[in-house]
């Protein structure tokens, strides 16, 4: 039985969702998002790790579709680089040429962890708060996924349960495109606005070939977050450790005493990784070790372990721990060898963003003006923005209304996406206000 306080809460949530969904741009926002999710843009980490960006040509197909749409909005400075970065610039309106340029980013690819081919988005209007049943027995249940409780009366979009949805990050692209359209159609005063839609963010290579010489904005924002109101200025420090064990092959029937099984070495190594420091056993500011890929045979085995930590010193300890575990295993197997190679993937962006506090201050104000209370949470991952910040252009992350990324249980909130559009419009207006200060 629902209590009076719970009924009041539901009424308040429904009223908020009804108000934002009544905005005249939400139908177009939804149409764009559905159209984008149907585009197959899964990236390929093996190809990207070899320096091939875009890692799949289907990302270029999507870039061309978006480029045409931008041109139809009236933008003339639209280009796609050799590495499939879609760049578009909207010049400042008359009298606003001295306003500092601002950039907005989102990525075109979707994760390869779950199929992104033949996505069939499902639209649930006026969501009633009950479980939503998907194909294959999957259920979106607000008793488990508590974020569903905040979208009663909302329009939510799910996959059909056989694929991911792709709100990561096509919700971000839909927000940026819709915001840009509103600025142009309503003739809002603005400084220079620059857009970059990138390939291969999900592979960790989203900023490898970003055209820095094209970008004039000295501050940017990515739309690649989750729950409405969330803004993020810190993320993991991320490294990967590639561990190679070398054994000695011999006929298994006559292996004693000198066969060394590299597969067994890898298994022993994996058993040493702390179970309480895995992705599925940590949250908030806790770091982890995560074996991501392995292969091998008796003579050689390989495993790639992702290391994540918010603190730089703790990350150094994690790297040393991996080396210690690997050497301990090698010492156990006489005649074996092991090599460990650490590669930096991205760094925590907070220190650099703290050096320019006005960027986050503007973002906080933009979210509040949109009608939401800012929510500060660390990113338990990374974004193109964290890489761009590391490269010298501060770039915090903004919510998109997507949830349960990289899974068949993925869903998106149209009202939260609409708040994202308002946040973008507010950021552009706040940037224009700097001219009068």
């Amino acid at each position: 039985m629902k209590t009076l306080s719970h009924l009041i809460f539901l009424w308040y949530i429904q009223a908020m969702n009804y108000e934002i969904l009544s905005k005249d741009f939400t139908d177009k926002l939804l149409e764009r998002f559905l159209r984008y999710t149907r585009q197959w843009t899964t990236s390929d980490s093996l190809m990207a790790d070899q320096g091939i960006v875009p890692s799949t040509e289907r990302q270029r197909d999507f870039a061309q579709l978006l480029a045409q749409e931008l041109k139809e909005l009236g933008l003339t400075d639209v280009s796609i680089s050799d590495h499939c970065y879609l760049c578009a610039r909207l010049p400042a309106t008359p009298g606003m040429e001295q306003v500092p340029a601002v950039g907005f980013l989102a990525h075109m690819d979707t994760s390869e962890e779950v199929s992104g081919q033949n996505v069939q988005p499902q639209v649930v209007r006026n969501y009633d708060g009950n479980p939503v049943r998907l194909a294959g027995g999957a259920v979106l249940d607000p008793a488990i996924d508590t974020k569903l409780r905040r979208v009663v009366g909302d329009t939510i979009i799910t996959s059909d349960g056989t694929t991911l949805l792709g709100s990561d990050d096509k919700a971000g692209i839909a927000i940026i495109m819709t915001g840009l359209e509103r600025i142009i159609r309503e003739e809002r005063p603005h400084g220079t606005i620059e857009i970059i839609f990138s390939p291969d963010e999900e592979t960790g290579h989203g900023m490898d070939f970003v055209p820095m010489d094209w970008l004039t904005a000295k501050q940017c924002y990515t739309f690649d977050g989750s729950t409405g109101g969330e803004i993020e200025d810190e993320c993991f420090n991320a490294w990967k450790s590639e561990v190679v064990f070398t054994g000695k092959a011999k006929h298994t029937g006559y292996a004693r005493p000198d066969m060394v099984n590299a597969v067994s070495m890898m298994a022993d190594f994996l058993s040493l990784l702390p179970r309480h420091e895995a992705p599925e056993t940590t949250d908030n500011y806790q770091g982890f070790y995560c074996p991501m890929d392995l292969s091998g045979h008796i003579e050689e085995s390989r495993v790639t372990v992702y290391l994540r930590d918010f603190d730089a010193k703790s990350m150094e300890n994690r790297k040393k721990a991996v080396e210690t575990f690997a050497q301990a295993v090698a010492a156990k197997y006489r005649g074996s060898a092991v090599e460990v190679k650490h590669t930096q993937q991205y760094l925590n962006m907070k220190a650099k963003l703290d050096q320019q506090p006005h960027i986050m201050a503007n973002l906080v104000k933009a979210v509040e003006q949109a009608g939401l209370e800012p929510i500060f949470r660390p990113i338990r991952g990374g974004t193109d923005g964290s890489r761009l910040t590391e490269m010298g252009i501060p770039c915090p992350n903004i919510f998109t209304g997507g949830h349960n990324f990289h899974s068949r249980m993925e869903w998106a909130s149209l009202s939260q996406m609409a708040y994202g559009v308002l946040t973008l419009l507010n950021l552009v207006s706040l940037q224009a206000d700097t001219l009068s200060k």
Side-chain angles (χ1 to χ4, degrees):
M1 181 176 178
K2 293 183 173 68
T3 64
L4 179 60
S5 61
H6 183 62
L7 290 172
I8 293 173
F9 170 77
L10 288 177
W11 175 85
Y12 173 73
I13 291 297
Q14 286 178 293
M16 278 193 67
N17 290 335
Y18 176 80
E19 180 180 1
I20 187 66
L21 291 178
S22 66
K23 298 292 184 182
D24 59 2
F25 60 79
T26 55
D27 286 345
K28 184 64 176 179
L29 176 61
L30 177 60
E31 182 274 325
R32 273 197 174 97
F33 179 62
L34 296 177
R35 177 157 45 90
Y36 297 164
T37 59
R38 293 187 180 102
Q39 296 292 316
W40 181 25
T41 60
T42 308
S43 49
D44 185 330
S45 58
L46 291 177
M47 299 296 285
D49 285 347
Q50 297 173 39
I52 300 172
V53 174
S55 61
T56 55
E57 281 302 304
R58 48 187 172 258
Q59 295 179 73
R60 191 179 298 278
D61 294 339
F62 188 38
Q64 290 169 346
L65 180 152
L66 293 170
Q68 182 59 37
E69 188 172 345
L70 285 162
K71 291 174 183 177
E72 290 171 358
L73 289 178
L75 278 74
T76 57
D77 189 352
V78 180
S79 61
I80 301 174
S81 74
D82 290 344
H83 290 286
C84 197
Y85 290 81
L86 171 54
C87 302
R89 182 180 290 113
L90 182 64
T93 51
M96 294 286 154
E97 294 84 358
Q98 300 306 311
V99 173
V102 63
F104 297 105
L105 283 73
H107 65 88
M108 297 179 289
D109 66 319
T110 58
S111 170
E112 59 194 305
E113 294 174 24
V114 176
S115 174
Q117 185 176 12
N118 194 30
V119 172
Q120 299 295 321
Q122 311 293 304
V123 178
V124 181
R125 298 183 184 275
N126 195 23
Y127 172 60
D128 61 8
N130 290 316
V132 178
R133 303 189 181 280
L134 307 175
V139 180
L140 291 173
D141 188 348
I144 299 171
D145 187 349
T146 57
K147 291 180 180 179
L148 283 165
R149 300 174 189 175
R150 301 194 66 87
V151 293
V152 174
D154 197 352
T155 294
I156 65 171
I157 306 96
T158 75
S159 77
D160 65 357
T162 64
T163 68
L164 50 68
L165 176 61
S167 58
D168 181 12
D169 188 24
K170 289 166 183 173
I173 295 175
I175 288 168
I176 293 171
M177 294 291 281
T178 303
L180 201 59
E181 181 178 41
R182 302 304 296 178
I183 290 168
I184 295 169
R185 298 282 164 83
E186 296 174 2
E187 299 182 347
R188 292 176 174 238
H190 60 82
T192 299
I193 300 172
E194 296 178 335
I195 308 298
I196 295 181
F197 295 143
S198 59
D200 279 290
E201 190 268 357
E202 297 292 0
T203 69
H205 296 276
M207 290 287 104
D208 285 6
F209 299 99
V210 61
M212 296 290 284
D213 56 344
W214 177 88
L215 190 65
T216 67
K218 301 304 180 187
Q219 61 188 72
C220 295
Y221 299 90
T222 50
F223 277 91
D224 194 15
S226 183
T227 301
E230 286 184 355
I231 51 179
E232 298 156 326
D233 65 348
E234 55 185 323
C235 63
F236 276 138
N237 294 294
W239 289 71
K240 68 176 179 180
S241 300
E242 296 167 282
V243 187
V244 181
F245 296 100
T246 302
K248 290 184 179 180
K250 191 175 181 182
H251 190 295
T252 53
Y254 305 93
R256 189 174 183 177
D258 52 353
M259 187 184 90
V260 179
N261 191 333
V263 175
S264 297
M265 293 178 70
M266 177 173 60
D268 280 2
F269 169 79
L270 293 174
S271 72
L272 294 176
L273 297 179
R275 180 71 192 121
H276 64 284
E277 295 183 54
E280 61 271 30
T281 60
T282 55
D283 53 23
N284 297 319
Y285 283 91
Q286 297 171 313
F288 60 74
Y289 305 85
C290 182
M292 291 294 292
D293 182 69
L294 53 87
S295 62
H297 45 79
I298 287 178
E299 201 162 50
E300 182 181 277
S301 66
R302 297 172 175 266
V303 60
T304 299
V305 181
Y306 278 11
L307 312 181
R308 299 292 186 264
D309 209 295
F310 287 96
D311 181 74
K313 184 177 179 180
S314 296
M315 176 56 73
E316 290 303 310
N317 292 336
R318 289 187 186 281
K319 289 157 63 178
K320 290 176 183 176
V322 168
E323 294 167 8
T324 300
F325 298 154
Q327 292 297 335
V329 170
K332 179 180 174 181
Y333 289 79
R334 184 176 178 181
S336 70
V338 65
E339 292 183 8
V340 179
K341 177 185 175 183
H342 302 299
T343 304
Q344 179 183 300
Q345 295 175 298
Y346 54 85
L347 298 177
N348 192 340
M349 59 184 171
K350 184 166 178 56
K352 290 193 175 182
L353 282 173
D354 283 349
Q355 295 170 9
Q356 301 191 53
H358 67 281
I359 293 173
M360 279 300 291
N362 268 2
L363 180 51
V364 168
K365 190 177 293 186
V367 172
E368 290 174 341
Q369 289 178 352
L372 293 179
E373 180 179 348
I375 303 168
F376 299 91
R377 289 203 178 109
I379 307 174
R380 289 184 59 80
T383 67
D384 281 343
S386 57
R387 288 281 310 279
L388 194 61
T389 300
E390 184 184 334
M391 296 162 72
I393 299 178
C395 187
N397 195 39
I398 305 174
F399 64 90
T400 65
H403 302 266
N404 298 343
F405 295 147
H406 301 190
S407 80
R408 291 176 172 82
M409 308 285 283
E410 189 179 358
W411 61 275
S413 157
L414 182 59
S415 71
Q416 292 174 18
M417 291 169 61
Y419 279 117
V421 174
L422 293 183
T423 299
L424 184 150
L425 296 176
N426 293 337
L427 281 169
V428 171
S429 295
L430 288 167
Q431 191 78 349
D433 287 347
T434 62
L435 193 63
S436 60
K437 295 179 180 178

